[in-house]
Amino acid sequence: MAFRYYSAERIRDKMPTYKGTDEELQDAIDDISLLYGSALKELDTKLDIISDDFDKKHSYMPIHHVQKRLKSFDSLIDKAERYGIEDPINNLDTVLAEVLDIGGIRVICNYEEDIYTMSGLLLEQSDIELIRIKDYCKNPKESGYRSLHVVVAIPVYLVNRKAMVPLEIQFRSIAMDTWASLEHELRYKNKGVLNEEIQDQLAECARQLAQIDEKMSHIRHQVLKSDNEYADY
Ligand code: 0O2
């Protein structure tokens, strides 16, 4: 997995203030891409293993699907500027220390309760460091957005060093992901701006989907109780 819009030459066009050579810039970009891409692979594998073992023990897979992405180099620099980092292209170490979602992974679970099961199992692992948690499931954003955001650092072993690489994990139920994907698409189509009436309607959809999440979970527990095969779960 590599940065989109990857070439130093192209970035140099957009960011002519870079003080090093094109080769140095390319090398720095390659390093970031390798490190964060590798961290995403590690985390993906960890989630896969937990999911397989959970299935073996409980005949149930809580994870519906997983999506990974590396932030584009352009949006990394834009975000660093928004964070107030001065001259980010020439201070990449500061950028890497401050921007924690260069590598992002979205874990779409079936039910809301699966979010806490999966995040709990992952955070129990001794080589993972928790950096921060924001629970937008329990405290949704004003927009209606719900998701559990967990920032962790995960070890990546390179040829001659070990690096702890921060990643942002967004745990969502299918319903939460449906809303966030469609809302993002609508917002993106409208250049990031949605009028108040549309925002209200979207917030109402988010509330209804939260109720559906709760109802589906309730139905699930009724089914589990009546089904001997799942009695141990
Ligand atoms: P992308 O491409 O999705 O990564 P910061 O990350 O510094 O902006 P903070 O407080 O850490 O600030 O961010 P927050 O709000 O905890 O999480 C930001 C990410 O959550 C966003 O990433 C979205 O993925 C998602 N998100 C947050 N609010 C909403 C929302 O109202 N609607 C939708 N659809 N997604 C939301 P980015 O950076 O926007 O981009």
Side-chain angles (χ1 to χ4, degrees):
M1 180 172 287
F3 278 120
R4 281 174 289 155
Y5 314 125
Y6 188 45
S7 106
E9 209 174 296
R10 184 191 156 279
I11 287 164
R12 160 89 61 194
D13 271 356
K14 290 192 76 179
M15 299 169 199
T17 55
Y18 182 67
K19 289 181 183 144
T21 63
D22 271 7
E23 288 70 31
E24 282 164 345
L25 181 54
Q26 185 71 65
D27 196 44
I29 294 170
D30 286 347
D31 275 349
I32 298 170
S33 181
L34 175 74
L35 203 57
Y36 286 80
S38 306
L40 283 173
K41 278 191 219 162
E42 292 276 7
L43 188 56
D44 197 12
T45 303
K46 278 179 178 292
L47 288 163
D48 227 20
I49 293 169
I50 296 173
S51 187
D52 283 348
D53 192 30
F54 203 92
D55 186 28
K56 181 171 169 286
K57 291 192 166 63
H58 304 292
S59 308
Y60 173 68
M61 295 189 100
I63 296 178
H64 188 267
H65 67 280
V66 167
Q67 296 169 325
K68 295 176 282 186
R69 71 109 180 86
L70 275 185
K71 220 176 209 11
S72 75
F73 195 74
D74 292 16
S75 54
L76 173 58
I77 297 299
D78 285 349
K79 187 160 198 173
E81 272 163 358
R82 283 205 305 281
Y83 276 16
I85 299 171
E86 232 173 89
D87 192 12
I89 187 76
N90 288 303
N91 289 295
L92 286 175
D93 284 348
T94 311
V95 174
L96 300 192
E98 300 280 326
V99 179
L100 300 178
D101 68 340
I102 297 172
I105 192 157
R106 213 164 260 163
V107 183
I108 319 303
C109 298
N110 295 326
Y111 298 92
E112 185 165 345
E113 66 222 49
D114 297 332
I115 290 174
Y116 296 101
T117 308
M118 284 297 105
S119 55
L121 289 171
L122 187 70
L123 290 173
E124 270 173 16
Q125 298 194 358
S126 59
D127 57 347
I128 287 199
E129 274 173 23
L130 174 64
I131 298 178
R132 69 164 192 233
I133 294 191
K134 289 188 192 169
D135 193 340
Y136 298 122
C137 303
K138 297 215 160 76
N139 303 297
K141 287 193 152 191
E142 213 180 316
S143 61
Y145 178 76
R146 293 187 305 137
S147 188
L148 178 72
H149 289 195
V150 181
V151 177
V152 296
I154 180 165
V156 170
Y157 292 87
L158 300 167
V159 173
N160 52 3
R161 71 185 175 104
K162 169 188 156 188
M164 290 301 288
V165 182
L167 295 176
E168 182 184 78
I169 317 169
Q170 296 181 349
F171 289 94
R172 296 176 176 174
S173 68
I174 295 172
M176 292 173 197
D177 189 54
T178 302
W179 184 93
S181 305
L182 297 180
E183 191 260 4
H184 182 269
E185 157 83 358
L186 291 169
R187 203 177 276 280
Y188 181 78
K189 274 220 171 78
N190 242 32
K191 299 191 168 67
V193 189
L194 293 172
N195 72 39
E196 217 166 287
E197 196 198 325
I198 297 287
Q199 287 184 46
D200 287 348
Q201 289 184 57
L202 285 166
E204 179 52 27
C205 287
R207 274 191 290 278
Q208 288 182 19
L209 283 165
Q211 284 170 3
I212 289 174
D213 252 344
E214 214 179 305
K215 268 191 199 157
M216 291 298 294
S217 173
H218 184 68
I219 294 169
R220 174 182 181 229
H221 282 284
Q222 286 176 297
V223 173
L224 287 178
K225 256 191 224 155
S226 65
D227 189 337
N228 283 337
E229 201 185 326
Y230 298 119
D232 66 327
Y233 177 56

